[in-house]
Amino acid sequence: MSARLMQFLAGLSRRERLLLALLVFLALPLAAVQGIALPLLARQEAARAAVAEAEALRGWVRERQAELAQLPAARTDITSNPSPSPAGLGTLEASLIDAGLRQSLVTLMNPSGTSVSMRFDAVHFSRLMPWLEGLEREMGYRLASLRLSRTNMPDLVDAEIQLEQLP
């Protein structure tokens, strides 16, 4: 094998050998950098971006927790004020208007007759939480599920809410 290589190289002109040496010593390492090192650097940068986003989300959640802690405490004295019968969709919508939440409401559905589904886009967190706190006492519904997603604005969230009638 090496004899063939030597014969091949001996048959080349000086200029061809120089170009072949450039190919071996410059082009191949450059190809290795392009094929291996740059993709690794891109993955590292993507991982850094993901960490930064996770830290931003954690900070956002902490801010919402601080806002939630500042809201008035829920009343636990249910014996003196029995829960009302479940309100209809019109009453729920009127309470949303009173709380200043109606403009952010995207959907309001009553699919089963015993539950209510709502979706809000860019709703004020500081208005939504007090309204949710009063649902059981004033509307006859309890919170079955709540999913909040942050938005680009500090006090605004996207929310998906499932309510169930109290027994």
Side-chain angles (χ1 to χ4, degrees):
M1 177 77 178
S2 65
R4 277 186 170 172
L5 181 61
M6 294 300 270
Q7 248 181 351
F8 173 73
L9 292 175
L12 297 177
S13 68
R14 184 169 201 265
R15 185 172 157 202
E16 289 173 332
R17 283 192 295 259
L18 181 62
L19 289 173
L20 189 59
L22 282 174
L23 174 70
V24 169
F25 292 113
L26 291 178
L28 290 179
L30 185 61
V33 166
Q34 280 288 98
I36 298 171
L38 292 180
L40 287 175
L41 290 173
R43 281 192 218 145
Q44 184 180 27
E45 186 59 35
R48 284 185 182 137
V51 166
E53 186 171 334
E55 288 174 351
L57 178 61
R58 180 176 37 183
W60 179 84
V61 168
R62 285 184 181 154
E63 290 171 3
R64 299 298 79 78
Q65 287 174 334
E67 287 178 11
L68 189 59
Q70 292 175 357
L71 295 175
R75 286 184 50 201
T76 56
D77 185 19
I78 296 177
T79 57
S80 64
N81 187 12
S83 60
S85 61
L89 291 182
T91 307
L92 278 173
E93 190 168 7
S95 73
L96 289 170
I97 292 169
D98 291 343
L101 301 171
R102 176 60 182 96
Q103 70 276 5
S104 301
L105 183 68
V106 177
T107 59
L108 175 62
M109 299 184 314
N110 189 1
S112 67
T114 61
S115 67
V116 175
S117 299
M118 290 186 259
R119 188 167 67 88
F120 294 88
D121 283 344
V123 65
H124 288 276
F125 180 82
S126 56
R127 291 183 191 164
L128 180 64
M129 289 298 118
W131 181 80
L132 286 174
E133 189 268 324
L135 276 176
E136 192 168 322
R137 177 174 71 250
E138 298 166 10
M139 298 289 162
Y141 287 99
R142 70 174 178 184
L143 187 63
S145 72
L146 172 65
R147 182 176 180 200
L148 299 175
S149 303
R150 72 179 179 150
T151 63
N152 293 334
M153 299 301 291
D155 186 42
L156 299 180
V157 295
D158 293 337
E160 292 179 21
I161 299 171
Q162 297 287 328
L163 304 176
E164 293 178 347
Q165 290 182 359
L166 290 173

